[in-house]
C-alpha cells in the first residue's frame, strides 16, 4: 500500500444542481476582442484506450488571445466590468470608448499574481492604454516577471507569499488619487467579492466552447478535470457542470504542496495552509477564494493532488501528442492518470468522456525529482543526487541545504505528512516532518543532517547516486551517500511504511532533517530553539551497524601570546611572541598528561590545531595565536578548560615577567554524549535490530562527534545507530545497500514498538 495522500471523494455532491448564468453578453465581449477564436479541444485516443474510457479530450489553452494561458478570459472580463462600474458605463460600451474615458479618468489597474493572471491584467491595461501595477512574491523567477513587464506593467516585488502580495496590491490600489485605482483580483476577500465574481464569469466562455465542440463530435462529457489555485476557474467549471441536464462529474487537481481545497474539504470549512513551492506556479495558493468555496464544497466530486514530478511527466506526454503545455496545464492529465490507477469506478468507466482543462502553454521550469520514492535505497540514491554541500566548508561555494529541504518538504506533502521549515538563518533551512500519533504514546525523533562536506575532494561524480558494486557488495555511490543521506533515507522509508500500513501509533514519529552538522550544527540548535522535543531520539549516522551510546565532546580554545613588535635589529625593545609561545606549549603538553579518563570513552585528549603569528621575518612578532582542540569527556566544561588554561598562563608569567597573554577564549564548544549501555532506549533499539539482523549488535562508544550530544543536553535520550559503508569525507564514498535495507526494517519495528 502507498503512503501517499489519498484521493478525496466528496460525499456532498449527490443531486446537487446550480443555475448557470446567461453568458450572452460575456460571449459577445470576448468575440469583440482582436484575435479571438475558440481554443482547440483535442482527442487523445491512445490515452483513452490505456485508461479504459470512451474518450479523453484536452482543452488546449496554450494560445488564448495571443497569451499562453486561459487567465485572460477572466481577467479581461473582470477588467471590463470593473472599469465600467468605476466609470459608470453601460456593458454595451465599446473598448475604444472605455479606453478614452479610462485614460481621461487616470485609471490604474492593480493585481497580485503567480504569473498568468497578472500578465492578463497587464494585457488589458495595455489594450485600454492605462497604467498597471502588478505585485509578485520575491520567489517569482525573472523570466515570469519579464513577460509581465513586456505587457507594459510596473512590477512590485514584495517580501512574502502570494497572499501577502494580494493584500499589498489591495492596500496600494486604495491610495491612488481620486479613487482611480482598481484592483482586479481573482481572490475574494472580506468586502472584496464583486470583481472576483466577474472574473469567474469570464471563464464561462471556455465552458461554452467546450459544450459546442463536444456536441459537434456527437458525444457528451461525463467528467471534467480542472486545476485549482484560488478556485476561480474551478468555481466556473463546477457551476457549469452541475447546471447541465445530465450533471458532469467535477475533478479538482492541486499540487501536493498547495492542497488548500482538499484540506478545506477534509475539514469541512475554509482552511488556509502554508504552501511549500511547486513548479505549478499558478496553483501555488494557500487559501481558496471565499466566493468559490461554497460552490466547490458542495459541487466538486473528487479532489486529487499530484506531485511536481507527475506534472512534469504529463508535460512530456502532452508534448509527445503535439500539445504544448506547462505544469499547471498538464496537472489535469496527471490527475486523470492517478484517478484511473487508484480505482475510482464511481467516476470513471468504459463509457466516460473526460475533458481535461490544460490551462497554460509551455514554459521553462526546473526539472523536479520524483517524490514517490518509498524505499530507503531509492531515497538514498535521490538524496545523494542533490548537492547540499555545506557553504561554510566547501572550497568552492557550497550549495547549502535549500534544494534538499525543498525536496523533503515535497516528499512529506506528497503523503499528507505535516512538515515545518525552520530557517532562522536565511539560506540554511532545516525541515521537521511529523507523523502524528493518536495520543497517549511516546514520541520518537530521528535526527539526520542534510549537509555534506565539500564535493571538491571527490574523485569522480560526487552526485551520481548510482548503484554499483564494491568488493562484491551492492552500494550507492556519491558524496553524502554514507554521511548521512542513507541514514536519513532509512528513517523516511520507515515513516512511509508506518503511514502506509495504517498502523495506528499512539506516539508521534518526528524526522528532523537538519542543516550544518558538518560545521556548527546550526540546524539541530535551531530546531531545539524552536521547541522541538521527543521522548527519545535516534541519530542514524554511519556506525557500521553498532549501537553507539557515547562519544566525546570538543572545545576549541584560542590563546594569544603577546610580545612587543620591533625591528629585528632591536633586540632590547622587541619581545618575541612566537618564541614565548613555546613556554606555553611545553606547559600545555604537561597539562595534557593530566586530563581526566572516562570509564567508557577513555582519556580526554587535546592537540594544537592551528598556530599563527608574525608579519615578516625581519620583525619581532607582537602576537602568536594558538588554537587548541580538546576532545572532552563528561565532567569537562568550557568554563573549566578555559580556567585551567588561564592558570597555566598565569603560572608561566610568574616565572617570566616578559611573558604576556590575552584572556583565553573558547570559540566553539560541543558537549560529550553518554547514556547508560542498559538504558531502556538502548535495549529497545538492540531488541529491534536483533530481530532483523539475527544477532544483537554491539553497544559501544564512537570516536566522532555528532548532534546526539545536543539532543541529550536538551533532555532527549539519544542513541547513534546507522549503516555500513566506506569513504567518509574521502575521494570515494558509498553505503552498502543491504545495510540500508536492514536499518530500514529495524526502524519500522522501532516505530511500532516504541510509539505503540
Amino acid at each position: 500500500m502507498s503512503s501517499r495522500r489519498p484521493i478525496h471523494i466528496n460525499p456532498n455532491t449527490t443531486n446537487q444542481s446550480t443555475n448557470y448564468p446567461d453568458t450572452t453578453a460575456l460571449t459577445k465581449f470576448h468575440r469583440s476582442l482582436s484575435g479571438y477564436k475558440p481554443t482547440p479541444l483535442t482527442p487523445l485516443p491512445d490515452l483513452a484506450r490505456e485508461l479504459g474510457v470512451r474518450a479523453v479530450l484536452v482543452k488546449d489553452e496554450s494560445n488564448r488571445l495571443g497569451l499562453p494561458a486561459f487567465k485572460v478570459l477572466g481577467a479581461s472580463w473582470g477588467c471590463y466590468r470593473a472599469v465600467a462600474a468605476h466609470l459608470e458605463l453601460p456593458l454595451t460600451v465599446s473598448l475604444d470608448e472605455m479606453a478614452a474615458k479610462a485614460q481621461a479618468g487616470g485609471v490604474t489597474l492593480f493585481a497580485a499574481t503567480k504569473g498568468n493572471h497578472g500578465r492578463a491584467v497587464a494585457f488589458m491595461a495595455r489594450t485600454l492604454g492605462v497604467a498597471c501595477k502588478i505585485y509578485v512574491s520575491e520567489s517569482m523567477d525573472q523570466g515570469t516577471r519579464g513577460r509581465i513587464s513586456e505587457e507594459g506593467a510596473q512590477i512590485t516585488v514584495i517580501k512574502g507569499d502570494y497572499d501577502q502580495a494580494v493584500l499589498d496590491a489591495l492596500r496600494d490600489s486604495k491610495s491612488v488619487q481620486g479613487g482611480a485605482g482598481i484592483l482586479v483580483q481573482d481572490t475574494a476577500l472580506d468586502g472584496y467579492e464583486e470583481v472576483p465574481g466577474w472574473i469567474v464569469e469570464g471563464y464561462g466562455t471556455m465552458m461554452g466552447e467546450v459544450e459546442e465542440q463536444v456536441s459537434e463530435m456527437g458525444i457528451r462529457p461525463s467528467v471534467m478535470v480542472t486545476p485549482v489555485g484560488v478556485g476561480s476557474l474551478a468555481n466556473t467549471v463546477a457551476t457549469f457542470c452541475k447546471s447541465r441536464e445530465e450533471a458532469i462529474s467535477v475533478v479538482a487537481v492541486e499540487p501536493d504542496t498547495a492542497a488548500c481545497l482538499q484540506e478545506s474539504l477534509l475539514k469541512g470549512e475554509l482552511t488556509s495552509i502554508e504552501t511549500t513551492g511547486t513548479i505549478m506556479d499558478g496553483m501555488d495558493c494557500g487559501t481558496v477564494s471565499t466566493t468559490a468555496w461554497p460552490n466547490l464544497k458542495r459541487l466538486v466530486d473528487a479532489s486529487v493532488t499530484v506531485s511536481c514530478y507527475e506534472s512534469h511527466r504529463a508535460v512530456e506526454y502532452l508534448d509527445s501528442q503535439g500539445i504544448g503545455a506547462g505544469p499547471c496545464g498538464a496537472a489535469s492529465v496527471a490527475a486523470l492518470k492517478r484517478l484511473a490507477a487508484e480505482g475510482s469506478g464511481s467516476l470513471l468507466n468504459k463509457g466516460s468522456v473526460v475533458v481535461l482543462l490544460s490551462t497554460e502553454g509551455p514554459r521553462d521550469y526546473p526539472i523536479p525529482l520524483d517524490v514517490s520514492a518509498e524505499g530507503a535505497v531509492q531515497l538514498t540514491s535521490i538524496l545523494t543526487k542533490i548537492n547540499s554541500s555545506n557553504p561554510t566548508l566547501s572550497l568552492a561555494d557550497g550549495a547549502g541545504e535549500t534544494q534538499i529541504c525543498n525536496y523533503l518538504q515535497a516528499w512529506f506533502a506528497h503523503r499528507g505528512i505535516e512538515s515545518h521549515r525552520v530557517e532562522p538563518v536565511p539560506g540554511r533551512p532545516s525541515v521537521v516532518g511529523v507523523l502524528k500519533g493518536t495520543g497517549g504514546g511516546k514520541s520518537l525523533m530521528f535526527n539526520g543532517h542534510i549537509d555534506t562536506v565539500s564535493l571538491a575532494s571527490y574523485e569522480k561524480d560526487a552526485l551520481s547516486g548510482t548503484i554499483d558494486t564494491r568488493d562484491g557488495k551492492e552500494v550507492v555511490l556519491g558524496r553524502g551517500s554514507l554521511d548521512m543521506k542513507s541514514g536519513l533515507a532509512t528513517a523516511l522509508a520507515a515513516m512511509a511504511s508506518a503511514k502506509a500500513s495504517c498502523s495506528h501509533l499512539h506516539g508521534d514519529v518526528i524526522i528532523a532533517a537538519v542543516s550544518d552538522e558538518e560545521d556548527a550544527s546550526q540546524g539541530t540548535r535551531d530546531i531545539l530553539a524552536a521547541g522541538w522535543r521527543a521522548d527519545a531520539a535516534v541519530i542514524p549516522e554511519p556506525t557500521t551497524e553498532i549501537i553507539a551510546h557515547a562519544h566525546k565532546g570538543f572545545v576549541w580554545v584560542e590563546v594569544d601570546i603577546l610580545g612587543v613588535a620591533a625591528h629585528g635589529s632591536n633586540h632590547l625593545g622587541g619581545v618575541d611572541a612566537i618564541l614565548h609561545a613555546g613556554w606555553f606549549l611545553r606547559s600545555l603538553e604537561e597539562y595534557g598528561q593530566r586530563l581526566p579518563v572516562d570509564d567508557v570513552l577513555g582519556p580526554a585528549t587535546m592537540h594544537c590545531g592551528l598556530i599563527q603569528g608574525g608579519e615578516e621575518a625581519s620583525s619581532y612578532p607582537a602576537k602568536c595565536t594558538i588554537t587548541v582542540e580538546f576532545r572532552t569527556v563528561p565532567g569537562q566544561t568550557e568554563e573549566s578548560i578555559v580556567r585551567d588554561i588561564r592558570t597555566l598562563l598565569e603560572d608561566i608569567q610568574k616565572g617570566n615577567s616578559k611573558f604576556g597573554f590575552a584572556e583565553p577564549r573558547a570559540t566553539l564548544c560541543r558537549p560529550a554524549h553518554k547514556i547508560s549501555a542498559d538504558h531502556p532506549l538502548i535495549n529497545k533499539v538492540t531488541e529491534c535490530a536483533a530481530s532483523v539482523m539475527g544477532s544483537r549488535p554491539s553497544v559501544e562508544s564512537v570516536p566522532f562527534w555528532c548532534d546526539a550530544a545536543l539532543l541529550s543536553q536538551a533532555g532527549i535520550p539519544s542513541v547513534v545507530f546507522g549503516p555500513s559503508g566506506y569513504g567518509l569525507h574521502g575521494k570515494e564514498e558509498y553505503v552498502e545497500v543491504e545495510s540500508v535495507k536492514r536499518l530500514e526494517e529495524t526502524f519500522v519495528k522501532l516505530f511500532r514498538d516504541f510509539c505503540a
Side-chain angles (χ1 to χ4, degrees), residues 552-555 603-606 629-633 636 703-705:
K552 292 178 181 179
F554 63 89
V555 177
T605 62
M606 49 138 284
E629 181 184 73
F630 292 84
R631 290 285 166 161
T632 61
V633 298
Q636 289 182 290
F704 58 80
W705 188 91

Side-chain angles (χ1 to χ4, degrees), residues 473-493:
K473 295 178 180 178
E474 201 172 26
V475 301
V476 180
L477 293 164
R479 173 64 76 222
S481 58
L482 181 62
D483 185 18
M484 62 168 298
K485 293 178 178 180
S486 53
L488 178 61
T490 58
L492 292 168

Side-chain angles (χ1 to χ4, degrees), residues 214-391:
V214 172
S215 178
E216 289 169 2
M217 297 177 185
I219 53 179
R220 185 191 68 81
S222 55
V223 178
M224 193 172 294
V225 185
T226 177
V228 178
V230 295
S232 298
L233 173 61
N235 189 12
T236 300
V237 171
T239 307
F240 170 82
C241 288
K242 299 306 183 185
S243 70
R244 302 299 94 179
E245 186 175 343
E246 293 185 54
I248 302 166
S249 296
V250 179
V251 177
V253 56
E254 298 176 280
D256 290 330
T257 55
C260 58
L261 173 61
Q262 187 174 97
E263 191 68 21
S264 297
L265 290 172
L266 289 170
K267 292 187 176 179
E269 61 183 10
L270 188 60
T271 302
S272 294
I273 64 169
E274 183 177 341
T275 67
T276 56
T278 173
I279 60 170
M280 294 168 269
D281 292 346
M283 300 158 69
D284 188 12
C285 302
T287 308
V288 176
S289 169
T290 56
T291 54
W293 166 241
N295 282 336
L296 298 180
K297 180 180 179 180
R298 69 186 185 92
L299 302 178
V300 168
D301 294 274
S303 169
V304 182
T305 66
V306 298
S307 69
C308 291
Y309 184 73
E310 288 170 315
S311 177
H312 164 64
R313 293 302 303 271
V315 167
E316 294 180 320
Y317 171 76
L318 287 176
D319 183 63
S320 74
Q321 302 300 305
I323 300 173
C328 292
S332 296
V333 176
L336 176 60
K337 289 189 172 186
R338 185 180 174 201
L339 199 65
E342 297 188 18
S344 298
S346 61
L347 295 174
L348 297 178
N349 55 56
K350 63 181 180 181
S352 297
V353 174
V354 184
V355 175
L356 305 175
L357 303 183
S358 178
T359 53
E360 67 171 353
R363 58 178 172 83
D364 293 333
Y365 58 87
I367 304 303
L369 293 168
D370 187 3
V371 294
S372 68
E374 301 268 84
V377 175
Q378 186 183 5
L379 275 167
T380 298
S381 176
I382 290 172
L383 295 177
T384 302
K385 292 175 182 177
I386 303 173
N387 183 356
S388 56
S389 50
N390 193 312

